[in-house]
Amino acid sequence: MKLYPNERTLLLIDGASFHASARSLGFDVDYRRLLDLFRSKVQLLRAHYYTAIPEDPEYFAMRPLVDWLDYNGYSVITKPMKEFTDASGRKKFKANMDVELAVDAMRMANQLDHMIIFSGDGDLRSLVAALQELGKRVTVVSTLETDPPMISDELRRQADHFIDLADLENEINRTYADALAKPACNKRDSAATRDLAKIDENEN
């Protein structure tokens, strides 16, 4: 990773995209280890986590995870999922957080040297280009180790640097020992995983 200790850095995590990448690689993210990793390598000003929240209480299982992040060093940005019915009558959910992520990135650009975006969404290429025009360095975190890759080629080429999530697995994964030591957290994350999976499936 091309990280420098004196760089004022912001993490921008698209929750659904980040989850989908980790799930495709077959591991669960330990968000405490993720935060500690970047705090040890850069001057981390903030870490933003973006996710949609279901309005229906039946699908509200990820609230404990969102609350945990909010109390443990992350700024959590949420909005309600939009529910709709497709042409075949199936219920689907829409929960794109690109606009919120882009607005925050541009609003905070003057305070930062480096932005690290955890997403593979090609729609963010224009945001990366705009930040670069302001003299900011932009790193994108996603993965090429899946078939198909979880990152768009346009976004990867636009970014100053690309970090493959597979290369971070040993540093940020939830280990078997962690799962035994934290059964409540594991139960919480499993429920949240189901909710995030609903978003992933309907966004693709």
Side-chain angles (χ1 to χ4, degrees):
M1 293 188 291
K2 293 187 178 180
L3 303 176
Y4 306 103
N6 295 326
E7 278 192 329
R8 297 169 300 169
T9 302
L10 171 68
L11 305 187
L12 297 160
I13 303 171
D14 179 338
S17 177
F18 184 46
H19 165 76
S21 295
R23 185 180 63 170
S24 295
L25 291 169
F27 73 92
D28 294 323
V29 175
D30 185 321
Y31 287 93
R32 190 186 302 279
R33 294 184 71 188
L34 174 68
L35 203 58
D36 289 344
L37 172 65
F38 285 94
R39 279 176 171 166
S40 71
K41 294 182 179 296
V42 298
Q43 184 183 340
L44 185 62
L45 298 189
R46 303 187 81 172
H48 286 193
Y49 184 94
Y50 298 84
T51 188
I53 297 292
E55 293 181 327
D56 189 334
E58 180 183 354
Y59 302 116
F60 212 57
M62 67 179 294
R63 169 59 72 182
L65 173 60
V66 170
D67 287 344
W68 186 92
L69 292 170
D70 205 21
Y71 281 105
N72 288 274
Y74 292 84
S75 296
V76 179
I77 296 89
T78 67
K79 72 177 181 184
M81 287 185 195
K82 293 183 179 180
E83 182 179 323
F84 65 98
T85 303
D86 66 12
S88 63
R90 293 186 305 171
K91 183 184 293 186
K92 291 193 172 184
F93 301 94
K94 186 174 183 181
N96 192 303
M97 299 292 293
D98 288 353
V99 172
E100 288 78 7
L101 188 154
V103 168
D104 284 349
M106 295 303 294
R107 179 172 55 84
M108 298 183 66
N110 289 339
Q111 308 169 38
L112 300 158
D113 305 306
H114 186 196
M115 296 199 190
I116 303 177
I117 301 174
F118 292 72
S119 179
D121 191 339
D123 290 342
L124 295 174
R125 188 202 65 78
S126 295
L127 169 64
V128 173
L131 291 169
Q132 290 167 331
E133 289 177 4
L134 295 174
K136 310 305 173 182
R137 199 160 71 90
V138 183
T139 295
V140 171
V141 181
S142 187
T143 186
L144 293 168
E145 298 299 316
T146 56
D147 187 17
M150 298 298 291
I151 185 169
S152 75
D153 189 59
E154 294 83 0
L155 181 62
R156 183 171 63 89
R157 289 176 181 272
Q158 184 68 52
D160 295 297
H161 303 288
F162 168 68
I163 298 175
D164 199 302
L165 185 58
D167 295 332
L168 300 181
E169 179 177 352
N170 290 338
E171 297 182 89
I172 67 169
N173 71 323
R174 184 182 298 282
T175 65
Y176 180 67
D178 290 335
L180 291 177
K182 305 175 185 177
C185 293
N186 192 47
K187 183 178 180 181
R188 175 204 67 213
D189 289 346
S190 295
T193 292
R194 289 194 296 271
D195 280 344
L196 285 167
K198 295 177 191 296
I199 302 172
D200 299 340
E201 289 166 2
N202 288 293
E203 283 292 283
N204 292 331

